[in-house]
Amino acid sequence: MSAKHAQAFVFARGGSKGVPRKNIKPLNGKPLIAYSIDCALACPSLGNIVVSTDDDEIAEVSRRYGAEVPFMRPATLAGDSASEWHAWRHAVEEMDKLGRPFDILVSLPTTSPFRAVEDVEACLKLLEQDPGTDVAITVRKAERSPYFNMVQISPEGNAEIVCKSREAFQRRQDVPDVFDITTVAYAVRTALIKEADGLFQGKVRAVEVPAERALDIDTPYDFLIAELLAGHLEKSGDRKW
């Protein structure tokens, strides 16, 4: 995959609620957003990375760590109810205006600081090998299964298995494999972003990543786990870029 066909982005709004100022909060001495930037810069298939943000401080930190911020995201696309999909479309349109069109948008959210270069490259390889695939996402094996130990509460207040089956599964090992979508990486053809209203309106394939690279930081508890893991990885030298 040539860098001229794929463009990496980090979408980082200023108003994160779960962990205030999360995108530039220090993790093991480095702003969280810097982990996504470093990974993109280390990917052979990506020449650079663009940050889409509404926040001047995030923009300044991003530039300091080697990212471009060639446009600012409007406030209408940065609120709590704003759609990430629309932020992606805005980024594609802005790059077109700048005379820098591309075929594949690669989103590397700040919330997955432990992704590896190989995870991102695997997503791009899927699109390269199958022109009919519109999206490559990253997933990890789910710890719970809707066929076995996940329930929903009925209007009558009864707990019921989410996915009912004709088979009465007695062991977790017997149920079909299910996966959680991670925020490690998304690789999406720009044609789909321009034409569709959501990710799963296209043909989607998945790259499985191990749990230790798929931590998704949404809460202060997640950030605490990330700090512990980052410290351990630094001591062991077990980094992928």
Side-chain angles (χ1 to χ4, degrees):
M1 183 70 61
S2 170
K4 69 179 181 180
H5 295 305
Q7 175 64 61
F9 286 87
V10 176
F11 294 87
R13 64 190 185 92
S16 55
K17 291 294 190 293
V19 180
R21 306 299 290 167
K22 172 177 63 181
N23 291 311
I24 52 175
K25 182 178 174 67
L27 173 64
N28 201 37
K30 186 166 70 173
L32 187 60
I33 197 169
Y35 290 85
S36 294
I37 294 171
D38 286 349
C39 183
L41 295 177
C43 285
S45 298
L46 301 172
N48 63 347
I49 185 164
V50 169
V51 170
S52 166
T53 185
D54 62 313
D55 187 276
D56 289 336
E57 186 179 10
I58 291 176
E60 191 278 326
V61 171
S62 299
R63 292 187 181 104
R64 191 191 318 155
Y65 280 88
E68 294 183 69
V69 189
F71 56 84
M72 296 296 286
R73 196 193 316 181
T76 53
L77 295 178
D80 291 340
S81 60
S83 162
E84 182 88 350
W85 187 260
H86 289 150
W88 288 1
R89 183 176 293 166
H90 172 261
V92 171
E93 292 172 348
E94 289 299 309
M95 294 296 279
D96 282 348
K97 291 177 186 176
L98 292 170
R100 296 172 57 183
F102 55 95
D103 299 322
I104 296 168
L105 179 147
V106 180
S107 175
L108 303 177
T110 62
T111 50
S112 285
F114 304 113
R115 69 172 60 82
V117 166
E118 64 195 81
D119 302 324
V120 183
E121 291 290 329
C123 289
L124 289 168
K125 188 174 182 179
L126 270 183
L127 297 186
E128 180 181 28
Q129 292 177 337
D130 182 5
T133 294
D134 301 299
V135 183
I137 61 174
T138 49
V139 300
R140 56 167 289 186
K141 283 190 177 178
E143 295 177 355
R144 295 173 299 280
S145 170
Y147 293 96
F148 187 70
N149 57 5
M150 293 181 68
V151 299
Q152 57 188 350
I153 307 301
S154 72
E156 297 75 29
N158 300 320
E160 302 172 344
I161 282 290
V162 174
C163 292
K164 296 180 177 66
S165 173
R166 293 179 181 178
E167 301 178 54
F169 295 116
Q170 300 299 320
R171 303 184 309 158
R172 180 187 172 94
Q173 296 93 322
D174 297 330
V175 303
D177 286 335
V178 292
F179 299 85
D180 291 323
I181 298 174
T182 78
T183 58
V184 169
Y186 302 84
V188 190
R189 296 194 192 276
T190 55
L192 182 73
I193 295 172
K194 291 178 178 180
E195 298 167 3
D197 296 317
L199 203 65
F200 286 93
Q201 290 183 12
K203 178 182 176 182
V204 182
R205 295 185 63 191
V207 171
E208 186 178 349
V209 298
E212 63 270 18
R213 298 209 299 265
L215 177 65
D216 189 3
I217 301 176
D218 280 325
T219 68
Y221 176 72
D222 296 332
F223 208 98
L224 176 60
I225 294 174
E227 287 181 319
L228 294 171
L229 182 54
H232 168 75
L233 291 174
E234 182 178 55
K235 289 179 182 178
S236 65
D238 187 20
R239 293 298 291 158
K240 299 297 183 181
W241 67 87

